[in-house]
């Protein structure tokens, strides 16, 4: 059961995490959305379809971002508790470090469970849906030929142009030039048209237009007016392709039990092995980051320099831990006997950080990292002062 101070710290962690996670996932989502922008500009997709496809990547991005958002949250909260002298008061009451560590671990445990659920099911399911949408767009005939204001060659000798595409799918002021027949050229002009699937065939239904027929031998031209005319596009439709799902786009059960007829699995079975263990191990990183940050910032600090040192040490520690985890996953892909390293790295860091966090004295290596971080801080501050001084002198 939590005491009042523990519930207070947990509330601060929860609120700050929501803000940090929202900000970080928003930035990462924006960078990913820019990569899909061609779906609107080049593939003729609507903004709704664009948003739907980019949103499908959010669960996967959340799994990657969540541990780092938690580390940032702890840095902010523990620094705030120290600045407000709340850590000093807690220590003065004779309470142990576990009084602050308990809500940190409670939130980390909840986040680990949510991360595990997302990595095993939610993230791969959403990525699989995204893969299906991308495949559908690539074979979408309308998306590939309907590009307002541009002359699109959809087949050898067949050129298509429209002035605009309305929200209901109507094509305004369309022109189609068909030179596939070596003896005759057909030019279709229409005020409007629509692409429709009728009786299993894809038709371009044009309204209020003309068909200009020109004999390539003698140049004779004949023009026929029509109120409605259907042009068969079935032969131009790309063949529907079945999406090939990568390991990251398959649920955990699909990774454990792939189809024996799966050509992708037969070629890249080692990638499946790496993906399985990475998904299980990623749930350990909220706890890992929690212990790392607490080891550097979990006790009261009395000077601004020591706080900067702790923040830098915590950031470097979290980054190095995750980089080591990625490296271990890549090692497993090439060497199955190193599977244990994927789990050993976060568990060893948790054990080491817990020992440091609960100890009254800091080990030599941690003091060394602190001095190194302080040296970096001093160098950055001096550089900033020099730049500021030069800018001020230049304006004067």
């Amino acid at each position: 059961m939590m005491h009042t101070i523990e519930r207070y710290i947990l509330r601060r962690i929860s609120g700050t995490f929501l803000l940090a996670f929202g900000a970080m996932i928003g930035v990462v989502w924006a960078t990913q959305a820019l990569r899909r922008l061609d779906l609107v500009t080049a593939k003729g997709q609507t903004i709704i379809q664009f948003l739907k496809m980019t949103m499908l990547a959010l669960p996967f991005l959340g799994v990657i971002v969540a541990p780092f958002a938690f580390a940032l949250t702890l840095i902010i909260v523990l620094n705030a508790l120290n600045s407000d002298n709340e850590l000093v008061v807690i220590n003065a009451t004779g309470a142990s470090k576990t009084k602050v560590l308990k809500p940190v671990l409670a939130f980390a445990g909840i986040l680990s469970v949510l991360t595990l659920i997302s990595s095993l099911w939610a993230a791969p399911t959403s990525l699989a849906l995204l893969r299906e949408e991308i495949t559908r767009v690539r074979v979408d005939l309308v998306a590939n030929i309907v590009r307002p204001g541009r002359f699109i060659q959809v087949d050898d000798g067949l050129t298509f142009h429209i002035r605009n595409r309305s929200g209901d799918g109507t094509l305004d002021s369309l022109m189609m030039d068909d030179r596939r027949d070596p003896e005759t050229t057909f030019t279709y002009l229409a005020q409007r048209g629509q692409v429709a699937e009728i009786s299993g065939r894809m038709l371009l239904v044009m309204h209020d237009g003309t068909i200009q027929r020109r004999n390539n031998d003698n140049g004779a031209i004949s023009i026929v007016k029509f109120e409605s005319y259907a042009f068969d596009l079935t032969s131009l439709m790309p063949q529907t392709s079945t999406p090939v799902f990568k390991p990251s786009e398959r649920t955990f059960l699909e990774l454990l039990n792939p189809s024996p007829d799966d050509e992708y699995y037969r070629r890249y079975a080692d990638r499946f092995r790496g993906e399985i263990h990475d998904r299980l191990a990623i749930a350990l990183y909220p706890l890992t980051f929690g212990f790392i940050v607490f080891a550097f910032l979990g006790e009261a600090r009395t000077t601004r320099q020591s706080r900067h040192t702790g923040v830098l040490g915590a950031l470097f520690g979290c980054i190095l831990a995750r980089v080591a985890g990625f490296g271990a996953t890549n090692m497993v892909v090439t060497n199955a006997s190193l599977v244990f390293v994927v789990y050993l790295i976060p568990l060893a860091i948790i054990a080491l950080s817990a020992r440091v966090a609960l100890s009254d004295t800091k080990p030599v290596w941690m003091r060394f990292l602190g001095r190194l971080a302080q040296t970096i801080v001093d160098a950055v501050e001096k550089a900033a002062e020099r730049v500021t001084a030069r800018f001020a002198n230049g304006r004067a």
Side-chain angles (χ1 to χ4, degrees):
M1 182 177 179
M2 286 191 175
H3 297 87
T4 302
I5 186 62
E6 294 169 343
R7 292 195 297 271
Y8 165 73
I9 295 174
L10 183 60
R11 285 197 301 271
R12 292 193 66 168
I13 292 174
S14 302
T16 307
F17 175 80
L18 292 177
L19 293 176
F21 181 76
M24 293 180 70
I25 199 70
V27 172
V28 176
W29 174 83
T31 60
Q32 294 297 311
L34 291 175
R35 297 174 56 190
R36 308 288 182 190
L37 194 59
D38 66 311
L39 293 173
V40 174
T41 59
K43 293 294 185 181
Q45 299 298 303
T46 65
I47 189 65
I48 300 299
Q49 183 68 18
F50 168 72
L51 291 175
K52 175 184 175 182
M53 295 182 68
T54 53
M55 287 296 182
L56 285 173
L58 284 181
F60 173 75
L61 297 177
V63 171
I64 304 299
V65 168
F68 290 99
F70 180 54
L72 179 61
T73 295
L74 290 184
I75 291 173
I76 294 172
V77 171
L78 293 177
N79 251 338
L81 292 175
N82 186 79
S83 299
D84 297 338
N85 294 321
E86 290 170 304
L87 289 181
V88 175
V89 173
I90 293 173
N91 291 338
T93 62
S96 66
K97 294 182 179 180
T98 57
K99 187 69 70 174
V100 180
L101 182 59
K102 186 177 178 180
V104 171
L105 296 183
F107 192 90
I110 295 172
L111 187 59
S112 292
V113 172
L114 294 176
T115 300
L116 182 63
I117 294 173
S118 184
S119 67
L120 295 183
W121 177 77
T125 299
S126 65
L127 288 181
L129 293 175
L130 177 59
R131 176 65 60 186
E132 292 175 351
E133 287 293 318
I134 292 175
T135 302
R136 184 193 63 79
V137 167
R138 287 176 177 171
V139 300
D140 187 347
L141 175 67
V142 178
N144 285 306
I145 70 172
V146 179
R147 305 181 192 179
R150 298 176 60 182
F151 290 89
I152 306 300
Q153 186 170 350
V154 296
D155 195 13
D156 291 338
L158 183 62
T159 303
F160 193 91
H161 177 274
I162 64 168
R163 179 176 59 82
N164 184 45
R165 182 185 183 187
S166 304
D168 60 357
T170 299
L171 312 178
D172 299 325
S173 301
L174 65 89
M175 184 279 294
M176 186 166 56
D177 186 63
D178 187 356
R179 300 173 181 264
R180 292 176 296 177
D181 187 340
E183 297 180 357
T184 308
T185 297
F186 293 91
T187 301
Y188 302 83
L189 300 173
Q191 292 294 323
R192 64 187 186 281
Q194 283 185 323
V195 177
E197 185 175 354
I198 301 175
S199 300
R201 305 190 69 80
M202 188 67 68
L203 302 177
L204 172 61
V205 182
M206 296 175 280
H207 303 280
D208 299 328
T210 62
I211 303 175
Q212 177 179 291
R213 182 178 181 274
R214 180 178 182 274
N215 189 298
N216 295 333
D217 293 331
N218 55 27
I221 296 176
S222 62
I223 299 176
V224 178
K225 296 183 64 176
F226 62 83
E227 293 183 358
S228 180
Y229 182 85
F231 184 87
D232 194 347
L233 298 173
T234 305
S235 61
L236 304 176
M237 293 181 61
Q239 296 297 317
T240 302
S241 60
T242 302
V244 177
F245 297 109
K246 299 178 181 179
S248 61
E249 299 162 349
R250 307 188 187 208
T251 64
F252 191 68
L253 292 179
E254 291 171 342
L255 291 175
L256 292 176
N257 301 290
S259 171
D261 299 328
D262 191 334
E263 179 64 25
Y264 190 91
Y265 172 72
R266 288 200 296 266
R267 293 179 59 188
Y268 304 108
D270 49 356
R271 297 183 184 180
F272 282 66
R273 180 177 60 248
E275 182 71 19
I276 288 172
H277 294 289
D278 183 61
R279 288 194 195 178
L280 294 174
I282 198 172
L284 296 172
Y285 283 94
L287 287 169
T288 303
F289 286 7
F291 274 110
I292 290 175
V293 175
F294 192 85
F296 282 94
L297 299 172
E299 62 181 13
R301 295 172 181 266
T302 56
T303 64
R304 178 174 62 88
Q305 288 81 4
S306 62
R307 288 199 298 272
H308 287 170
T309 300
V311 170
L312 280 177
L315 286 175
F316 287 156
C318 292
I319 293 173
L320 289 176
R322 196 64 190 98
V323 169
F326 285 130
T329 300
N330 290 332
M331 291 168 58
V332 170
V333 172
T334 57
N335 191 342
S337 63
L338 297 177
V339 166
F340 71 95
V341 179
V342 176
Y343 306 97
L344 179 62
I345 289 175
L347 291 175
I349 294 175
I350 288 174
L352 181 61
S353 300
R355 181 178 179 181
V356 172
L358 298 177
S359 175
D360 293 329
T361 59
K362 300 300 181 185
V364 175
W365 63 267
M366 193 168 182
R367 292 197 295 270
F368 170 76
L369 288 178
R371 289 194 297 269
L372 179 61
Q374 185 59 50
T375 301
I376 295 174
V377 170
D378 292 340
V380 171
E381 289 181 346
K382 289 180 181 179
E385 289 175 358
R386 288 196 296 268
V387 172
T388 302
R390 291 179 180 177
F391 180 74
N393 293 334
R395 295 187 64 180

